[in-house]
Amino acid sequence: MALISPSDLNKKTAPLNERLYFFYGRDVGNMERVTKKLIARLVPKDAQTLNFHPFDAKNLDTAELADAVMAVPMFAERVCAYIPGFDASTVSAEDMEAIKTILSDIPDTTTVVICADGEKVFKSKKALNTKNKSFADFCAKAGTVCDFAYRRAGDMGKYIAAELSKSGSQISNYDAQYLANRLLSDTALVDNEIAKLSAFADGRPVTREMIDMIVAPKIESDGFALAINILRGNAKFVFGRIDELVSQRVEAIEILSTISYSIMDIYRAKLARSSGKNVDDIIKDFSYPAYKKFAVENAFGDCSRISEERIRLTLSFLCDTDLALKTKGYAKGGDILALEECCAKCMAIRS
C-alpha cells in the first residue's frame, strides 16, 4: 500500500502531484487539520468558488462527481473534489463500481480527496473492515493513502509544547506527555484544551496542577483510574468519579466499558508479570498500539499487590452487568444504579 504519514503530508514541501488521496483513521481532528491545509494548497481560497467541489458522502451523486472530476480548472492550476465522511461499507456495489471507474481516470489537473474518519471504518484496533480495506488498496494503486492514527504521547507532547509556545506559555516534556495521555492523543480534544490552558496560563508556564484543574480527561482515560480504585476498594473515589461522569451525561454502558477494558489490561499485566514477562512483551503479544504503552506501563506497575482471583471475579461481575445493561431495559436512572451496584460488589470481594 502506498502509505504516507500525516506529518510528511503536512509538510509545506510535500509534492502536490497526486491525483487521489484517501485518508482514514481515528484521529479526526488531525485529519481535518491536515486536509484543510492540503486543500488550501491545491486550490487557493480565492479560486475555490469555481474549482473546489465538496460532496456529501451519504448522498453522493456519482454523475455529479464525474462532472467535477473531469472539469477544467478556471483561473487556477487545479480542480479539487472533496468527499468527507466516506464509508465504503455503506456504498452499493453499483455506486462503488462507478466511483472506481471515475477514480481510475482522473485528469492531471484534478485532485480527489476522500476522508473516511472515525471508528466506523475499522473492524479491529488496527485493521480496516473488509470493504474499506479493499477501497484503500484500490486507492493506493492510483494515489496516496494516509492512516491518521492517534499519535504517540511523545509526538503529541511536542505538538502540545509548540502550540502552547505560540501563546507565550511553556510546558515541560513530561507534563506535555501527561496531557497527551490524559486525552489519548486525540487532536480535536487536545486543541480544545490547549486553547483553555493558554487562556488560563496567560503567558505563565503550564503546570501539572493547571492540567488537573482544567482538563477533563477523555472518558477512556478514566477507565484505569476507576479500575485500579475498584480493585483497591476505594469507594469514595469510584462513586465520586461516577457521579462526575453522570453529570457530564456519560452513559452507564460507556463507563462500564472503559472500566472493563482497563481491568483486562490489568489482568494481562498480572498474568505477564507472574510469568516473568515485561511491558514490551505485553505490547507485542496483545498488539497494543504505541499510544497505549502508557496504560500498559501503569497496569504493569500497579498490579503486583492485586490477586489474580480478585481480578477474575471483578471481570465476572462486570460481564454480568454488561449483559444486564444491554438486555433488561432499565427505567431512568436504573442503569446507573446497576453500574454502582456492580462496583460495590467488586469492591466487596475479599481475596
Side-chain angles (χ1 to χ4, degrees):
M1 184 180 289
L3 283 170
I4 186 172
S5 70
S7 58
D8 287 340
L9 184 65
N10 199 33
K11 292 177 180 177
K12 293 181 180 180
T13 56
L16 295 176
N17 55 354
E18 291 289 8
R19 290 176 292 174
L20 174 63
Y21 291 94
F22 177 62
F23 301 157
Y24 69 92
R26 294 181 170 89
D27 194 355
V28 179
N30 195 27
M31 185 188 299
E32 291 178 347
R33 172 190 288 268
V34 172
T35 301
K36 184 177 180 180
K37 288 183 178 180
L38 175 63
I39 290 173
R41 291 184 64 207
L42 290 166
V43 184
K45 191 172 182 180
D46 58 0
Q48 289 187 5
T49 301
L50 298 175
N51 301 289
F52 177 57
H53 305 282
F55 290 88
D56 179 358
K58 293 181 180 179
N59 300 292
L60 184 62
D61 187 313
T62 56
E64 290 183 4
L65 176 62
D67 289 341
V69 169
M70 298 305 296
V72 177
M74 300 291 289
F75 309 108
E77 294 183 5
R78 304 189 72 79
V79 166
C80 178
Y82 173 47
I83 311 174
F86 187 82
D87 180 3
S89 301
T90 65
V91 179
S92 68
E94 181 181 359
D95 282 348
M96 180 56 73
E97 189 63 31
I99 291 170
K100 288 183 176 180
T101 299
I102 295 167
L103 299 180
S104 297
D105 189 27
I106 302 173
D108 291 338
T109 55
T110 296
T111 298
V112 180
V113 181
I114 303 174
C115 294
D117 53 1
E119 191 69 37
K120 63 183 181 294
V121 299
F122 289 89
K123 68 176 181 181
S124 64
K125 287 183 178 179
K126 294 183 178 180
L128 292 168
N129 59 41
T130 303
K131 289 188 176 181
N132 281 290
K133 176 62 166 62
S134 175
F135 186 73
D137 290 342
F138 167 82
C139 291
K141 296 177 182 178
T144 292
V145 175
C146 184
D147 177 7
F148 283 82
Y150 290 125
R151 283 175 272 188
R152 297 181 180 184
D155 294 332
M156 179 57 82
K158 292 177 182 177
Y159 170 80
I160 290 169
E163 291 298 303
L164 283 171
S165 68
K166 294 177 182 178
S167 63
S169 293
Q170 304 298 315
I171 187 172
S172 70
N173 291 336
Y174 188 80
D175 286 344
Q177 291 187 38
Y178 174 75
L179 176 57
N181 281 309
R182 193 172 175 86
L183 299 172
L184 301 183
S185 289
D186 186 318
T187 300
L189 293 177
V190 167
D191 285 343
N192 185 57
E193 298 305 327
I194 285 174
K196 292 195 292 185
L197 286 167
S198 295
F200 182 82
D202 193 22
R204 294 173 296 163
V206 172
T207 64
R208 173 73 68 89
E209 290 72 22
M210 289 181 185
I211 294 171
D212 288 340
M213 179 171 61
I214 294 174
V215 178
K218 191 173 180 180
I219 175 62
E220 289 92 332
S221 67
D222 272 309
F224 182 79
L226 283 167
I228 199 67
N229 279 283
I230 286 171
L231 292 171
R232 290 173 176 170
N234 186 354
K236 182 177 180 181
F237 175 89
V238 172
F239 292 128
R241 187 61 190 136
I242 289 176
D243 285 344
E244 290 174 0
L245 292 171
V246 171
S247 70
Q248 296 168 18
R249 298 185 179 180
V250 181
E251 299 290 337
I253 190 66
E254 188 176 0
I255 299 172
L256 181 69
S257 294
T258 60
I259 294 171
S260 300
Y261 282 129
S262 291
I263 294 286
M264 283 301 302
D265 288 340
I266 295 169
Y267 192 35
R268 290 167 180 160
K270 181 67 178 181
L271 295 176
R273 189 165 188 152
S274 63
S275 301
K277 302 288 186 178
N278 58 32
V279 170
D280 291 336
D281 293 325
I282 300 171
I283 291 172
K284 180 180 178 181
D285 291 344
F286 293 98
S287 300
Y288 278 103
Y291 72 88
K292 286 280 286 182
K293 184 176 181 179
F294 184 82
V296 177
E297 289 174 338
N298 280 347
F300 193 83
D302 290 339
C303 70
S304 60
R305 297 185 180 180
I306 303 169
S307 70
E308 291 179 20
E309 180 64 17
R310 185 180 186 88
I311 302 173
R312 281 196 292 268
L313 286 172
T314 297
L315 281 171
S316 176
F317 286 139
L318 291 170
C319 287
D320 291 344
T321 304
D322 180 74
L323 179 62
L325 289 177
K326 292 176 178 176
T327 59
K328 287 193 175 181
Y330 288 100
K332 184 177 181 180
D335 52 351
I336 298 298
L337 180 60
L339 171 64
E340 291 177 334
E341 288 178 348
C342 172
C343 291
K345 288 180 181 178
C346 293
M347 288 185 284
I349 296 171
R350 295 290 178 263
S351 62

